[in-house]
Amino acid sequence: GDSVTQMEGPVTLSEEAFLTINCTYTATGYPSLFWYVQYPGEGLQLLLKATKADDKGSNKGFEATYRKETTSFHLEKGSVQVSDSAVYFCALSVFNAGKSTFGDGTTLTVKP
Amino acid sequence: KAGVTQTPRYLIKTRGQQVTLSCSPISGHRSVSWYQQTPGQGLQFLFEYFSETQRNKGNFPGRFSGRQFSNSRSEMNVSTLELGDSALYLCASSLVVAGGQDNEQFFGPGTRLTVL
């Protein structure tokens, strides 16, 4: 079946540090890949997405590239802020399945 | 355009009771999915409805059920509640386009269910 493995947390960084959260996947079809962010007490918000190999999703300074050869979709940001503190989820969805498979989530804390 | 709404936001029940949660998708979205989020199990897929039909189902017992109405609003029901059902229940809607590859789901804020 489909699965997503993401870097275990928690991750603690100082403001302006570089962020990488690793994500690899296994899928039976040709998935779309997503990063979601969840702030305390809230639902999930889509951070960025990529629908085909070599696509780069980007938003709010975050980036991730769909690497089919390594089945990866690592999240990066060059300079994190305190406001980036949240839980980040990597997810995949196979064509029109109406179902996403999520990683376990990585808690990021950014200290001033 | 209004986002996905879920009611109620918080719910406290006792073991053995049943509960119904409601989800209103984004206007025009015909697919509604439900997820259970717990600290121990993470985000787990419950089921998905599309055009009033259950299209996908996760590995949950029959106590968990759902339905979708003609206006795409969805409800999920949990009967004979157990302590382990305490969780955040998230609803997500998506726009299903024939031949489309984009499967982005839009999530509601969730319903926090506590079973005592």
Side-chain angles (χ1 to χ4, degrees), chain A residues 30-34 36 38 40-47 49-52 66 87 89-90 92-105, chain B residues 9-10 31-33 35 37 41-43 45 47-48 55-58 88 90 94-110 112:
Chain A
Y30 192 176
S32 296
L33 301 174
F34 306 88
Y36 288 89
Q38 185 176 36
E42 298 183 12
L44 274 67
Q45 300 175 26
L46 179 69
L47 182 59
K49 64 183 180 184
T51 58
K52 61 183 187 296
Y66 190 143
V87 182
F89 291 91
C90 183
L92 69 83
S93 180
V94 179
F95 175 65
N96 272 345
K99 165 192 172 183
S100 295
T101 300
F102 289 86
D104 290 338
Chain B
R9 292 292 311 276
Y10 302 91
S31 169
V32 174
S33 302
Y35 296 85
Q37 185 178 23
Q41 300 297 317
L43 274 154
F45 173 76
F47 29 66
E48 183 236 0
R55 192 165 65 161
N56 287 292
K57 189 178 188 303
L88 180 67
L90 293 165
S94 59
L95 178 65
V96 178
V97 178
Q101 178 65 20
D102 193 336
N103 303 304
E104 178 179 347
Q105 293 190 302
F106 295 82
F107 284 81
R112 172 75 62 184

Side-chain angles (χ1 to χ4, degrees), chain B:
Chain B
K1 193 181 261 193
V4 178
T5 58
Q6 292 187 246
T7 56
R9 292 292 311 276
Y10 302 91
L11 209 47
I12 299 175
K13 293 285 188 179
T14 55
R15 279 183 300 172
Q17 287 188 307
Q18 76 165 19
V19 67
T20 299
L21 312 181
S22 180
C23 171
S24 292
I26 291 172
S27 177
H29 287 194
R30 293 161 62 195
S31 169
V32 174
S33 302
W34 289 89
Y35 296 85
Q36 181 195 65
Q37 185 178 23
T38 60
Q41 300 297 317
L43 274 154
Q44 294 190 287
F45 173 76
L46 281 154
F47 29 66
E48 183 236 0
Y49 285 85
F50 177 74
S51 292
E52 301 179 66
T53 301
Q54 187 181 87
R55 192 165 65 161
N56 287 292
K57 189 178 188 303
N59 295 321
F60 277 80
R63 300 185 297 106
F64 292 82
S65 63
R67 59 178 177 167
Q68 186 179 34
F69 302 94
S70 58
N71 61 358
S72 294
R73 190 177 70 85
S74 177
E75 289 180 348
M76 69 163 279
N77 184 275
V78 188
S79 62
T80 319
L81 284 166
E82 301 176 359
L83 295 179
D85 297 333
S86 294
L88 180 67
Y89 290 88
L90 293 165
C91 166
S93 74
S94 59
L95 178 65
V96 178
V97 178
Q101 178 65 20
D102 193 336
N103 303 304
E104 178 179 347
Q105 293 190 302
F106 295 82
F107 284 81
T111 294
R112 172 75 62 184
L113 172 65
T114 301
V115 182
L116 303 176

Side-chain angles (χ1 to χ4, degrees), chain A residues 1-3 26-31 92 94:
Chain A
D2 300 337
S3 67
T26 304
T28 51
Y30 192 176
L92 69 83
V94 179

